[in-house]
Amino acid sequence: MDLKKLRYFIAVAEELHFNRAASKLNMTQPPLTQQIQSLEEELGVKLLERTKRQVRLTAAGAVFLDESRRMVSQLEQAVMRTKRASQGKIGHLSIAFVDSAVGGMLVNVIKGFRERFPEVELSLSSQFKRIITSVS
């Protein structure tokens, strides 16, 4: 099963009309119908009730629509977060400092960093405290 089939199914399920869904997807109706039939065969369930006059979701189709929307949304979020991580906009940054740096400069740098990168988790540790801890 691939993402395209999920997107196709979502479009048909939302439109409840193959031609409108195909138009929304910038494709023709026959390949869309084939993809939906292929999806139903792959799942082994009927997702849509079709007549010449209307298309309706089956009970299984309604469940699959909810799950498909959730999966597509999660994948889109994963892609977005991955891109943000590669740009350094999310993640984790550890900063070690000496106590003398606690003055205004470090505070201002950290404040500016948090404003610019609110999704990056910061861990601050004093090197002086680490030295004392490791000697004890």
Side-chain angles (χ1 to χ4, degrees):
M1 179 177 317
D2 61 37
L3 185 59
K4 275 186 182 180
K5 284 184 184 177
L6 293 179
R7 290 185 192 275
Y8 293 164
F9 171 71
I10 291 168
V12 173
E14 289 176 347
E15 294 295 327
L16 294 176
H17 194 277
F18 277 86
N19 283 329
R20 284 194 303 261
S23 177
K24 183 178 177 180
L25 294 164
N26 296 315
M27 63 189 300
T28 59
Q29 181 266 324
L32 178 58
T33 299
Q34 290 172 346
Q35 290 294 316
I36 298 301
Q37 288 171 342
S38 170
L39 178 61
E40 289 176 322
E41 288 173 15
E42 189 174 338
L43 294 171
V45 298
K46 194 170 191 178
L47 299 170
L48 301 164
E49 290 288 339
R50 305 161 183 86
T51 67
K52 291 190 180 222
R53 295 184 179 260
Q54 94 185 109
V55 176
R56 290 184 309 195
L57 285 171
T58 63
V63 169
F64 194 69
L65 175 60
D66 289 341
E67 296 299 326
S68 295
R69 285 177 174 153
R70 191 177 354 267
M71 286 186 281
V72 169
S73 175
Q74 286 177 336
L75 181 60
E76 288 169 351
Q77 287 177 8
V79 169
M80 181 187 71
R81 289 185 54 78
T82 300
K83 287 179 181 179
R84 290 180 60 75
S86 76
Q87 298 165 348
K89 294 180 179 178
I90 62 172
H92 183 89
L93 177 63
S94 296
I95 299 174
F97 60 92
V98 292
D99 288 337
S100 60
V102 174
M105 186 173 153
L106 180 63
V107 171
N108 290 335
V109 168
I110 291 171
K111 183 179 177 187
F113 183 86
R114 286 193 187 272
E115 288 172 1
R116 189 164 174 211
F117 301 101
E119 295 181 80
V120 174
E121 180 184 334
L122 287 177
S123 295
L124 304 174
S125 63
S126 168
Q127 288 293 48
F128 183 71
K129 288 180 184 176
R130 282 187 180 191
I131 293 169
I132 292 173
T133 306
S134 65
V135 174
S136 314

